[in-house]
mmCIF file of all heavy atoms in Angstrom:
data_model
loop_
_atom_site.group_PDB
_atom_site.id
_atom_site.type_symbol
_atom_site.label_atom_id
_atom_site.label_comp_id
_atom_site.label_asym_id
_atom_site.label_seq_id
_atom_site.Cartn_x
_atom_site.Cartn_y
_atom_site.Cartn_z
ATOM 1 N N PRO A 37 23.720 -100.280 37.623
ATOM 2 C CA PRO A 37 24.916 -99.495 37.982
ATOM 3 C C PRO A 37 25.843 -99.298 36.842
ATOM 4 O O PRO A 37 25.763 -99.944 35.820
ATOM 5 C CB PRO A 37 25.568 -100.433 39.056
ATOM 6 C CG PRO A 37 25.062 -101.852 38.657
ATOM 7 C CD PRO A 37 23.619 -101.615 38.239
ATOM 8 N N ALA A 38 26.720 -98.294 37.004
ATOM 9 C CA ALA A 38 27.688 -97.998 35.978
ATOM 10 C C ALA A 38 28.654 -99.093 35.834
ATOM 11 O O ALA A 38 28.930 -99.817 36.804
ATOM 12 C CB ALA A 38 28.428 -96.648 36.289
ATOM 13 N N PRO A 39 29.261 -99.280 34.693
ATOM 14 C CA PRO A 39 30.361 -100.346 34.544
ATOM 15 C C PRO A 39 31.536 -100.012 35.417
ATOM 16 O O PRO A 39 31.773 -98.954 35.912
ATOM 17 C CB PRO A 39 30.674 -100.306 33.071
ATOM 18 C CG PRO A 39 29.566 -99.481 32.432
ATOM 19 C CD PRO A 39 29.066 -98.565 33.496
ATOM 20 N N ASP A 40 32.335 -101.058 35.707
ATOM 21 C CA ASP A 40 33.606 -100.880 36.408
ATOM 22 C C ASP A 40 34.522 -100.069 35.602
ATOM 23 O O ASP A 40 34.779 -100.346 34.437
ATOM 24 C CB ASP A 40 34.202 -102.199 36.790
ATOM 25 C CG ASP A 40 33.395 -102.993 37.763
ATOM 26 O OD1 ASP A 40 32.634 -102.336 38.494
ATOM 27 O OD2 ASP A 40 33.469 -104.230 37.757
ATOM 28 N N ALA A 41 35.149 -99.046 36.190
ATOM 29 C CA ALA A 41 36.110 -98.175 35.482
ATOM 30 C C ALA A 41 37.464 -98.889 35.413
ATOM 31 O O ALA A 41 37.817 -99.810 36.099
ATOM 32 C CB ALA A 41 36.322 -96.878 36.232
ATOM 33 N N PRO A 42 38.312 -98.552 34.377
ATOM 34 C CA PRO A 42 39.643 -99.132 34.239
ATOM 35 C C PRO A 42 40.424 -98.861 35.564
ATOM 36 O O PRO A 42 40.202 -97.835 36.201
ATOM 37 C CB PRO A 42 40.229 -98.424 33.059
ATOM 38 C CG PRO A 42 39.058 -97.917 32.271
ATOM 39 C CD PRO A 42 38.043 -97.587 33.319
ATOM 40 N N PRO A 43 41.403 -99.674 35.837
ATOM 41 C CA PRO A 43 42.215 -99.409 37.090
ATOM 42 C C PRO A 43 43.005 -98.170 37.126
ATOM 43 O O PRO A 43 43.402 -97.727 38.158
ATOM 44 C CB PRO A 43 43.085 -100.712 37.190
ATOM 45 C CG PRO A 43 43.181 -101.154 35.746
ATOM 46 C CD PRO A 43 41.848 -100.860 35.120
ATOM 47 N N GLU A 44 43.266 -97.542 35.964
ATOM 48 C CA GLU A 44 44.170 -96.415 35.931
ATOM 49 C C GLU A 44 43.466 -95.095 36.332
ATOM 50 O O GLU A 44 44.072 -94.068 36.636
ATOM 51 C CB GLU A 44 44.703 -96.150 34.482
ATOM 52 C CG GLU A 44 45.565 -97.293 33.943
ATOM 53 C CD GLU A 44 44.776 -98.478 33.339
ATOM 54 O OE1 GLU A 44 43.493 -98.267 33.238
ATOM 55 O OE2 GLU A 44 45.301 -99.438 32.819
ATOM 56 N N VAL A 45 42.147 -95.115 36.405
ATOM 57 C CA VAL A 45 41.424 -93.911 36.656
ATOM 58 C C VAL A 45 41.088 -93.771 38.200
ATOM 59 O O VAL A 45 41.128 -94.756 38.881
ATOM 60 C CB VAL A 45 40.100 -93.760 35.792
ATOM 61 C CG1 VAL A 45 40.415 -93.870 34.349
ATOM 62 C CG2 VAL A 45 39.120 -94.821 36.283
ATOM 63 N N PRO A 46 40.799 -92.501 38.638
ATOM 64 C CA PRO A 46 40.584 -92.297 40.107
ATOM 65 C C PRO A 46 39.377 -93.145 40.668
ATOM 66 O O PRO A 46 38.461 -93.508 39.969
ATOM 67 C CB PRO A 46 40.276 -90.828 40.172
ATOM 68 C CG PRO A 46 40.883 -90.244 38.950
ATOM 69 C CD PRO A 46 40.714 -91.319 37.901
ATOM 70 N N GLU A 47 39.519 -93.400 41.974
ATOM 71 C CA GLU A 47 38.437 -94.149 42.595
ATOM 72 C C GLU A 47 37.119 -93.341 42.528
ATOM 73 O O GLU A 47 37.075 -92.117 42.641
ATOM 74 C CB GLU A 47 38.835 -94.293 44.170
ATOM 75 C CG GLU A 47 37.819 -95.111 44.915
ATOM 76 C CD GLU A 47 38.324 -95.367 46.343
ATOM 77 O OE1 GLU A 47 39.386 -94.919 46.657
ATOM 78 O OE2 GLU A 47 37.530 -95.922 47.111
ATOM 79 N N GLY A 48 36.073 -94.087 42.247
ATOM 80 C CA GLY A 48 34.732 -93.455 42.118
ATOM 81 C C GLY A 48 34.473 -92.990 40.715
ATOM 82 O O GLY A 48 33.363 -92.451 40.427
ATOM 83 N N ALA A 49 35.347 -93.298 39.759
ATOM 84 C CA ALA A 49 35.130 -92.815 38.411
ATOM 85 C C ALA A 49 33.898 -93.459 37.809
ATOM 86 O O ALA A 49 33.228 -92.778 36.944
ATOM 87 C CB ALA A 49 36.354 -93.140 37.555
ATOM 88 N N ALA A 50 33.561 -94.652 38.111
ATOM 89 C CA ALA A 50 32.490 -95.367 37.470
ATOM 90 C C ALA A 50 31.180 -94.618 37.664
ATOM 91 O O ALA A 50 30.275 -94.645 36.852
ATOM 92 C CB ALA A 50 32.305 -96.794 37.984
ATOM 93 N N ALA A 51 31.028 -93.838 38.792
ATOM 94 C CA ALA A 51 29.805 -93.122 39.081
ATOM 95 C C ALA A 51 29.656 -91.915 38.082
ATOM 96 O O ALA A 51 28.579 -91.368 37.951
ATOM 97 C CB ALA A 51 29.837 -92.580 40.507
ATOM 98 N N GLN A 52 30.742 -91.478 37.411
ATOM 99 C CA GLN A 52 30.697 -90.401 36.502
ATOM 100 C C GLN A 52 30.416 -90.784 35.057
ATOM 101 O O GLN A 52 30.346 -89.910 34.186
ATOM 102 C CB GLN A 52 31.950 -89.576 36.605
ATOM 103 C CG GLN A 52 32.311 -89.100 38.016
ATOM 104 C CD GLN A 52 33.613 -88.352 38.091
ATOM 105 O OE1 GLN A 52 33.919 -87.458 37.339
ATOM 106 N NE2 GLN A 52 34.493 -88.740 39.001
ATOM 107 N N VAL A 53 30.318 -92.014 34.782
ATOM 108 C CA VAL A 53 30.139 -92.528 33.407
ATOM 109 C C VAL A 53 28.780 -92.098 32.875
ATOM 110 O O VAL A 53 27.789 -92.224 33.583
ATOM 111 C CB VAL A 53 30.299 -94.020 33.328
ATOM 112 C CG1 VAL A 53 29.908 -94.589 31.978
ATOM 113 C CG2 VAL A 53 31.780 -94.435 33.686
ATOM 114 N N VAL A 54 28.740 -91.520 31.657
ATOM 115 C CA VAL A 54 27.411 -91.232 31.103
ATOM 116 C C VAL A 54 26.978 -92.402 30.272
ATOM 117 O O VAL A 54 27.646 -92.917 29.425
ATOM 118 C CB VAL A 54 27.657 -89.967 30.143
ATOM 119 C CG1 VAL A 54 26.271 -89.566 29.553
ATOM 120 C CG2 VAL A 54 28.269 -88.837 30.926
ATOM 121 N N LEU A 117 30.304 -93.657 28.008
ATOM 122 C CA LEU A 117 31.443 -92.922 27.700
ATOM 123 C C LEU A 117 31.829 -92.022 28.874
ATOM 124 O O LEU A 117 30.934 -91.505 29.599
ATOM 125 C CB LEU A 117 31.272 -92.004 26.432
ATOM 126 C CG LEU A 117 32.466 -91.164 26.048
ATOM 127 C CD1 LEU A 117 32.603 -91.224 24.530
ATOM 128 C CD2 LEU A 117 32.321 -89.758 26.481
ATOM 129 N N TRP A 118 33.082 -91.890 29.136
ATOM 130 C CA TRP A 118 33.576 -90.963 30.148
ATOM 131 C C TRP A 118 34.871 -90.247 29.594
ATOM 132 O O TRP A 118 35.800 -90.885 29.096
ATOM 133 C CB TRP A 118 33.946 -91.683 31.429
ATOM 134 C CG TRP A 118 34.298 -90.773 32.587
ATOM 135 C CD1 TRP A 118 33.657 -89.638 32.918
ATOM 136 C CD2 TRP A 118 35.399 -90.942 33.436
ATOM 137 N NE1 TRP A 118 34.263 -89.036 33.981
ATOM 138 C CE2 TRP A 118 35.383 -89.861 34.354
ATOM 139 C CE3 TRP A 118 36.360 -91.926 33.615
ATOM 140 C CZ2 TRP A 118 36.235 -89.679 35.418
ATOM 141 C CZ3 TRP A 118 37.318 -91.763 34.697
ATOM 142 C CH2 TRP A 118 37.248 -90.575 35.548
ATOM 143 N N LEU A 119 34.827 -88.908 29.592
ATOM 144 C CA LEU A 119 35.934 -88.138 29.205
ATOM 145 C C LEU A 119 36.642 -87.580 30.431
ATOM 146 O O LEU A 119 35.965 -86.965 31.324
ATOM 147 C CB LEU A 119 35.487 -86.966 28.328
ATOM 148 C CG LEU A 119 36.553 -85.934 27.811
ATOM 149 C CD1 LEU A 119 37.630 -86.668 26.996
ATOM 150 C CD2 LEU A 119 35.942 -84.788 27.066
ATOM 151 N N PHE A 120 37.912 -87.801 30.625
ATOM 152 C CA PHE A 120 38.616 -87.450 31.867
ATOM 153 C C PHE A 120 39.915 -86.784 31.584
ATOM 154 O O PHE A 120 40.701 -87.141 30.644
ATOM 155 C CB PHE A 120 38.899 -88.839 32.602
ATOM 156 C CG PHE A 120 39.787 -88.668 33.786
ATOM 157 C CD1 PHE A 120 39.316 -87.965 34.941
ATOM 158 C CD2 PHE A 120 41.092 -89.182 33.779
ATOM 159 C CE1 PHE A 120 40.151 -87.860 36.063
ATOM 160 C CE2 PHE A 120 41.920 -89.007 34.894
ATOM 161 C CZ PHE A 120 41.458 -88.400 36.014
ATOM 162 N N MET A 128 41.722 -88.796 28.770
ATOM 163 C CA MET A 128 41.339 -90.230 28.510
ATOM 164 C C MET A 128 39.863 -90.327 28.152
ATOM 165 O O MET A 128 39.008 -89.726 28.724
ATOM 166 C CB MET A 128 41.598 -91.096 29.763
ATOM 167 C CG MET A 128 41.323 -92.594 29.501
ATOM 168 S SD MET A 128 41.033 -93.478 31.007
ATOM 169 C CE MET A 128 39.304 -92.920 31.367
ATOM 170 N N TRP A 130 37.046 -93.212 27.883
ATOM 171 C CA TRP A 130 36.735 -94.545 28.129
ATOM 172 C C TRP A 130 35.337 -94.833 27.682
ATOM 173 O O TRP A 130 34.385 -94.114 28.008
ATOM 174 C CB TRP A 130 36.783 -94.837 29.637
ATOM 175 C CG TRP A 130 36.483 -96.278 30.075
ATOM 176 C CD1 TRP A 130 36.984 -97.393 29.499
ATOM 177 C CD2 TRP A 130 35.529 -96.711 31.049
ATOM 178 N NE1 TRP A 130 36.436 -98.530 30.112
ATOM 179 C CE2 TRP A 130 35.592 -98.107 31.079
ATOM 180 C CE3 TRP A 130 34.684 -95.993 31.918
ATOM 181 C CZ2 TRP A 130 34.737 -98.872 31.912
ATOM 182 C CZ3 TRP A 130 33.891 -96.739 32.773
ATOM 183 C CH2 TRP A 130 33.853 -98.177 32.765
ATOM 184 N N ASP A 209 29.824 -86.379 26.774
ATOM 185 C CA ASP A 209 30.348 -86.011 28.079
ATOM 186 C C ASP A 209 31.252 -84.813 27.938
ATOM 187 O O ASP A 209 32.236 -84.885 27.202
ATOM 188 C CB ASP A 209 31.079 -87.165 28.743
ATOM 189 C CG ASP A 209 31.470 -86.894 30.152
ATOM 190 O OD1 ASP A 209 30.981 -85.918 30.762
ATOM 191 O OD2 ASP A 209 32.360 -87.638 30.637
ATOM 192 N N GLN A 211 33.875 -82.106 29.516
ATOM 193 C CA GLN A 211 34.780 -81.935 30.598
ATOM 194 C C GLN A 211 35.843 -80.831 30.342
ATOM 195 O O GLN A 211 36.090 -80.552 29.117
ATOM 196 C CB GLN A 211 35.539 -83.235 30.827
ATOM 197 C CG GLN A 211 34.646 -84.433 31.254
ATOM 198 C CD GLN A 211 34.065 -84.333 32.643
ATOM 199 O OE1 GLN A 211 34.650 -83.528 33.481
ATOM 200 N NE2 GLN A 211 33.014 -84.941 32.908
#
Side-chain angles (χ1 to χ4, degrees):
D40 294 332
E44 298 87 359
V45 304
E47 185 177 355
Q52 302 179 49
V53 171
V54 182
L117 181 139
W118 187 43
L119 177 62
F120 171 69
M128 183 202 73
W130 180 52
D209 187 14
Q211 296 290 339

